[in-house]
Amino acid sequence: MGSSQAAVSFLTNVARAAFGLGAAATALNASLYTVDGGQRAVIFDRLRGVMEETVSEGTHFLVPWLQKPFIFDIRTRPHTFSSISGTKDLQMVNLTLRVLSRPEGDECVTRLPYIFRHLGLEYDEKVLPSIGNEVLKAVVAQFNADQLLTERPHVSALVRESLIQRAKEFNIILDDVAITHLSYGAEFSRAVEQKQVAQQEAERSKFVVMKADQERRAAIIRAEGESEAAKLISEATAAAGMGLIELRRIEASREIAATLSRNPNVAYLPGGQQALLALNPAMLGGR
């Protein structure tokens, strides 16, 4: 009987100890929180509100139920958003902007409590799309549609400066801002294509005009050469008589005779009526 009471008492003590250890472990676990690398924590106290001190990396203590940590990722993160904006000449363009952002502050002084109090954990998702669209529309409205291509570095610089200045008002640092995509509406693209076709036609017409002008000049030069040659021949004829013309005629006749003699389909007959006497009488009788 006594041994059974001792066993019950021992088990009760063990249960109490286990319960106490479990409660202590639970309380200890609830009192600890860990801030990983590239993160910071903002503590909300039920009595004092958001604490102004930011907690850095590591494992830290807090008062269970009374305090609650909110973890911020302070590493640079990319964000991409698109905007359809109107240009100075009333053309619609579609731009895609990529920014790298992080909360303002350093290891000692940070604006995370202020950001948490006014914007919450998703501060960048709430702020960047709205100010990005605002800046893009304001900058694009200063340029014509074709200038967005010819002056793209200048446009990107204006967008970067304006957006960085605008983000600072919300305690957000932008490490990089870039326009990654730019496209025009269907009407403007069609107009650009028609303009290119018109320019090609103009170049082709210009070439035709230049060719005709060169041919006209060549004809004038050729006519002047023929005129000069005729003048020289006339002067030579006047000086030497008709002998030069007769010589040219004989040379031309000789060239014609030489050409015809090489043709097997050409036959020669003597001139005059005596040519018929050389024909075969049988052939004449047959006729």
Side-chain angles (χ1 to χ4, degrees):
M1 186 69 180
S3 60
S4 61
Q5 290 180 351
V8 171
S9 177
F10 175 74
L11 292 176
T12 302
N13 293 333
V14 170
R16 290 175 180 175
F19 178 78
L21 290 175
T26 302
L28 181 62
N29 183 63
S31 301
L32 296 176
Y33 67 97
T34 300
V35 180
D36 295 330
Q39 295 180 342
R40 294 294 183 272
V42 173
I43 304 299
F44 173 73
D45 190 286
R46 293 182 183 272
L47 299 179
R48 293 176 292 175
V50 178
M51 308 291 290
E52 293 298 331
E53 183 181 358
T54 302
V55 182
S56 60
E57 302 167 1
T59 300
H60 307 274
F61 288 94
L62 55 75
V63 180
W65 183 83
L66 188 63
Q67 295 179 336
K68 182 179 180 181
F70 291 90
I71 307 298
F72 277 85
D73 188 349
I74 63 171
R75 291 169 292 191
T76 300
R77 297 192 296 175
H79 300 274
T80 303
F81 48 88
S82 301
S83 174
I84 299 178
S85 306
T87 61
K88 188 177 181 180
D89 53 353
L90 304 181
Q91 298 292 335
M92 301 305 295
V93 294
N94 184 9
L95 297 101
T96 300
L97 196 66
R98 192 259 308 153
V99 300
L100 299 178
S101 67
R102 57 184 173 85
E104 183 179 4
D106 52 26
E107 294 294 334
C108 300
V109 180
T110 181
R111 299 289 292 170
L112 285 181
Y114 179 87
I115 294 175
F116 176 72
R117 187 180 294 113
H118 292 84
L119 298 175
L121 290 174
E122 301 299 330
Y123 62 94
D124 46 1
E125 298 295 338
K126 296 178 181 178
V127 173
L128 292 179
S130 60
I131 65 175
N133 279 279
E134 173 190 350
V135 169
L136 280 177
K137 292 181 183 298
V139 172
V140 170
Q142 303 176 24
F143 297 88
N144 292 329
D146 56 343
Q147 290 178 318
L148 295 179
L149 291 177
T150 58
E151 302 182 19
R152 183 163 181 170
H154 180 49
V155 175
S156 298
L158 285 180
V159 171
R160 183 181 301 108
E161 293 174 2
S162 301
L163 195 55
I164 289 176
Q165 189 65 31
R166 193 77 173 87
K168 281 186 177 180
E169 300 176 5
F170 298 91
N171 301 287
I172 299 175
I173 298 297
L174 299 182
D175 292 328
D176 184 61
V177 179
I179 298 176
T180 58
H181 177 73
L182 188 152
S183 62
Y184 295 95
E187 295 182 357
F188 183 79
S189 300
R190 192 181 307 113
V192 171
E193 182 178 357
Q194 293 175 354
K195 181 179 179 181
Q196 292 177 347
V197 172
Q199 290 177 345
Q200 293 175 357
E201 291 294 336
E203 291 294 332
R204 187 179 296 108
S205 300
K206 182 178 179 181
F207 172 76
V208 171
V209 171
M210 293 177 60
K211 181 179 179 182
D213 183 64
Q214 293 295 331
E215 291 177 351
R216 179 182 61 83
R217 292 182 180 181
I220 292 174
I221 293 174
R222 186 166 53 251
E224 291 177 350
E226 292 176 354
S227 176
E228 185 70 19
K231 182 179 179 181
L232 293 176
I233 292 175
S234 298
E235 294 176 353
T237 302
M242 298 300 293
L244 178 62
I245 296 178
E246 291 296 330
L247 177 62
R248 295 295 186 189
R249 185 180 299 172
I250 293 171
E251 292 177 352
S253 299
R254 183 183 301 170
E255 292 179 359
I256 294 173
T259 302
L260 293 177
S261 65
R262 291 193 295 269
N263 192 341
N265 297 323
V266 177
Y268 297 93
L269 295 176
Q273 297 294 330
Q274 299 299 325
L276 297 176
L277 299 176
L279 297 176
N280 192 344
M283 295 177 61
L284 296 174
R287 293 182 63 184

